[in-house]
Amino acid sequence: MRQQRIRPTGVEHTFAEDRIIVSKTDTRGLMTYVNQLFVEMSGYEEADLVGRPHNLIRHPDMPRAVFRLLWERVGAGEEIFAYVVNLRADGGHYWVLAHVTPTLGPDGTVVGYHSNRRTASRAALDQVRPLYAALVAEEARHASTPEALAASSALLDDLLARRGTTYDELVWSLDAAAAPTEGAAA
């Protein structure tokens, strides 16, 4: 399958809260496994996914700074949770809360990555969308990818510092804000 530039349509797709998207990649980000829900949500056939770069589904509204943080963390052998918007083959999109972990070999070195993704809550997305829009807008102000990445990463770091929080704490605060309170109707 030849890579074609897919234009976002703005059509959002969702999946049930009790379902999980799963994928595995090698250390270069090439998909080695995708589950049926990944296939359904991406709009691709499994044969068009396995062996291809995971960034095949990268949405242009997804800030580079968040992916940089993600790759830094998992490359260092750490896990990360992140809100991610993905681009479908038909131009639609879907939001997820991704849990990405390194896969370690017998000697403890990173040999690949594993990601489980669940649907993202509306309440969390109401806060994530403006943040990501600001990061992407900052990236657009710069001519080169390295400059754009550095600028959006600096903006994200500044935002976290002003809030007195870490990226993980931010993600979990958004998730906690979306969770029903004890005694609330589900």
Side-chain angles (χ1 to χ4, degrees):
M1 182 176 117
R2 208 174 99 226
Q3 175 73 24
Q4 298 177 356
R5 181 158 168 77
I6 298 171
R7 293 196 175 143
T9 63
V11 175
E12 184 170 359
H13 297 260
T14 60
F15 57 99
E17 289 182 15
D18 64 343
R19 298 187 72 198
I20 303 283
I21 295 173
V22 179
S23 62
K24 296 179 183 181
T25 70
D26 64 14
T27 56
R28 297 174 299 157
L30 298 178
M31 291 179 270
T32 58
Y33 169 82
V34 294
N35 73 344
Q36 185 56 41
L37 184 55
F38 187 106
V39 172
E40 292 169 21
M41 290 305 296
S42 72
Y44 290 96
E45 297 295 323
E46 183 178 357
D48 294 328
L49 294 166
V50 174
R52 301 286 307 277
H54 206 287
N55 68 5
L56 175 71
I57 60 169
R58 185 184 186 279
H59 195 286
D61 290 343
M62 186 64 205
R64 288 181 170 106
V66 175
F67 277 129
R68 176 188 204 172
L69 179 60
L70 185 150
W71 283 109
E72 285 174 355
R73 294 278 286 282
V74 297
E78 301 171 14
E79 69 179 349
I80 189 168
F81 288 84
Y83 286 95
V84 177
V85 60
N86 290 313
L87 183 64
R88 292 170 44 95
D90 63 6
H93 67 276
Y94 58 100
W95 282 93
V96 296
L97 175 56
H99 177 212
V100 185
T101 61
T103 302
L104 304 178
D107 63 355
T109 60
V110 175
V111 297
Y113 307 102
H114 182 131
S115 180
N116 290 328
R117 294 171 303 282
R118 61 184 172 116
T119 191
S121 74
R122 297 289 112 197
L125 292 181
D126 287 345
Q127 297 180 62
V128 169
R129 283 186 181 106
L131 169 62
Y132 283 15
L135 293 172
V136 170
E138 181 62 29
E139 291 171 1
R141 294 182 49 236
H142 300 275
S144 74
T145 298
E147 289 173 354
L149 180 55
S152 65
S153 294
L155 181 59
L156 179 59
D157 290 344
D158 182 58
L159 169 83
L160 295 172
R162 281 187 281 131
R163 291 185 179 190
T165 192
T166 67
Y167 182 79
D168 294 322
E169 291 168 342
L170 173 67
V171 167
W172 289 118
S173 72
L174 298 177
D175 198 54
T181 57
E182 190 174 323

